[in-house]
Amino acid sequence: MSDVLSNETRLAADIERLKVEFPKTRELYREVCALLFFRFGVAPTANRLYNLVRRGTMSTPASVLSEFWAELREKSRVRIEHPDLPKDLSEAAGELIGVLWARAAASAQAELTSLRDDVEAQRAEAEQKVVAAREELGRTETALEQRTAALLTAQVEIRELERQQAQEAATRKALDAQIKRLGEEALARERELEKVRDTFSRDLEKLRETASRAEERLRASEKRALLEIDRERSATAKAQKELAEAAKRAEKREAEHRRTVEALQAQQGDARHQTGVLQGKLAALESAQKSLQEQLKSLRTTTRPSTRRVPTAETSPPARRAARKAAAVKTARAKGRP
């Protein structure tokens, strides 16, 4: 694929050079035909010529190509001119020599193509080796940079480890001093603990003696408590008996109270009934009083011009009776209220 691209590139470069050298279209097409056939070993066609040159019309490369093939055949024909040979024999000999020359040219062209392919292969191989060498150089440089970075990192880590080692040495020294101090403190605390143990043993003996005495007092207190409990039980039984009797008396009183309440409720109902009756009578008296007052007003209006005196409602016997009845109703109402 790379060989094809390189041939196309070289062909395009040669055609551009020929365009500068041969400004005339027909001459340019003829030179391109020779370039394709003799240098690149490609049989030229009209379409290929037109696509490469892009000048004139399609008939121009076709006519130039016909002239090129005719000229090539004319040049490849071998003429043997000998006065003693017949014409047909000389022509046959010429054609035979032409065929031999064509085969020799084809063989030479094949060898040239093979040699060119070998050269291209060697060039491609050399280019690949150069690319591989460059890649290897790049990888080597990258590895060198990585190793340099790793070396710098290792140096930094070594310095950090040395610093940490110095710190750990100082810490170890401080810890040794602290361990020694803690050992001395542990010995002192052990001696204090022995003293505390002795004191604790003596205190424990005292506590045991105190506990035995307290246990004796507890037994005595327990006996007294049992006696108190018996007395309390007796008192409780007596109180429960009295409570039962009081409950019976309360039930009896409650029954009497219930009967009294029922009697009072019956009296209250009778009183309410009487009150209703009296209220009805009072309403009748009030209506009668109103009618009497109206009659009195009418009598006053009719007797005002005359000089004779008319008995008023206050001095008339019916009015007195009505007033007495109203007073009696009020008194009964006051007595009948609960």
Side-chain angles (χ1 to χ4, degrees):
M1 185 67 180
S2 61
D3 294 339
V4 174
L5 292 176
S6 62
N7 290 333
E8 292 292 334
T9 304
R10 290 200 305 271
L11 178 61
D14 291 339
I15 290 173
E16 292 297 328
R17 180 177 54 79
L18 291 174
K19 285 181 180 180
V20 176
E21 293 178 359
F22 299 94
K24 293 182 178 181
T25 303
R26 296 184 67 84
E27 292 179 357
L28 178 61
Y29 274 114
R30 186 173 59 253
E31 294 297 327
V32 172
C33 287
L35 179 67
L36 289 173
F37 186 76
F38 292 108
R39 180 175 295 182
F40 293 97
V42 178
T45 60
N47 291 329
R48 182 69 183 277
L49 291 173
Y50 184 77
N51 290 329
L52 292 173
V53 177
R54 294 287 182 180
R55 286 187 183 180
T57 61
M58 285 295 295
S59 61
T60 303
S63 62
V64 172
L65 184 60
S66 298
E67 294 175 358
F68 174 76
W69 288 124
E71 184 180 358
L72 186 62
R73 283 194 299 271
E74 184 66 24
K75 288 182 179 180
S76 63
R77 181 177 299 173
V78 179
R79 294 182 178 86
I80 299 175
E81 295 180 357
H82 197 279
D84 296 333
L85 290 176
K87 185 177 180 180
D88 55 353
L89 183 60
S90 62
E91 290 179 357
E95 290 179 359
L96 178 61
I97 293 172
V99 171
L100 292 175
W101 182 84
R103 289 182 179 179
S107 178
Q109 184 68 30
E111 291 178 359
L112 178 62
T113 303
S114 177
L115 182 61
R116 185 182 297 163
D117 293 339
D118 293 338
V119 171
E120 289 294 332
Q122 292 177 2
R123 185 181 61 80
E125 185 178 359
E127 289 179 353
Q128 291 178 357
K129 288 181 179 179
V130 170
V131 172
R134 288 177 180 175
E135 292 178 354
E136 184 66 24
L137 179 61
R139 288 194 294 270
T140 304
E141 291 177 352
T142 304
L144 181 60
E145 291 176 356
Q146 292 177 354
R147 290 180 181 178
T148 304
L151 180 60
L152 293 175
T153 305
Q155 290 177 355
V156 173
E157 291 179 355
I158 289 170
R159 293 193 188 94
E160 183 66 21
L161 290 174
E162 289 176 352
R163 186 180 61 80
Q164 291 180 0
Q165 187 176 5
Q167 291 179 355
E168 289 177 357
T171 305
R172 188 182 300 109
K173 186 176 181 181
L175 289 174
D176 291 337
Q178 188 175 2
I179 289 170
K180 184 177 180 180
R181 181 175 56 80
L182 291 175
E184 294 175 355
E185 291 179 357
L187 292 175
R189 290 179 181 178
E190 187 68 25
R191 289 192 293 270
E192 292 178 358
L193 183 60
E194 290 295 333
K195 293 179 182 179
V196 171
R197 285 176 182 172
D198 295 337
T199 306
F200 179 74
S201 299
R202 290 193 296 271
D203 293 339
L204 183 61
E205 291 295 331
K206 292 179 182 179
L207 288 174
R208 286 175 180 174
E209 294 176 359
T210 305
S212 61
R213 290 194 296 270
E215 188 175 359
E216 292 176 358
R217 290 195 296 271
L218 180 61
R219 291 194 187 96
S221 299
E222 186 177 358
K223 290 180 181 179
R224 289 194 298 272
L226 291 174
L227 293 175
E228 292 291 337
I229 289 170
D230 291 335
R231 286 196 295 271
E232 289 294 331
R233 285 177 180 174
S234 301
T236 302
K238 184 178 180 181
Q240 288 179 352
K241 185 176 180 181
E242 292 177 355
L243 181 61
E245 292 177 357
K248 290 180 181 179
R249 290 194 297 271
E251 289 178 357
K252 185 176 180 181
R253 290 176 183 174
E254 185 178 359
E256 292 177 357
H257 180 68
R258 190 180 297 111
R259 288 193 295 271
T260 303
V261 169
E262 290 176 355
L264 291 174
Q265 287 178 352
Q267 292 177 4
Q268 185 179 5
D270 295 338
R272 287 179 178 175
H273 178 67
Q274 292 177 3
T275 301
V277 173
L278 292 175
Q279 286 179 353
K281 291 180 179 181
L282 178 61
L285 290 174
E286 288 178 352
S287 61
Q289 184 179 3
K290 288 181 180 179
S291 63
L292 290 174
Q293 288 178 357
E294 291 177 356
Q295 291 176 5
L296 180 60
K297 288 180 180 180
S298 62
L299 289 173
R300 284 179 180 175
T301 54
T302 53
T303 58
R304 186 174 295 172
S306 63
T307 57
R308 62 185 184 88
R309 295 177 60 86
V310 179
T312 62
E314 295 178 357
T315 58
S316 62
R320 290 195 189 98
R321 286 195 297 271
R324 289 173 185 171
K325 288 181 180 180
V329 169
K330 290 181 180 180
T331 304
R333 186 183 298 174
K335 290 180 179 180
R337 288 178 182 174

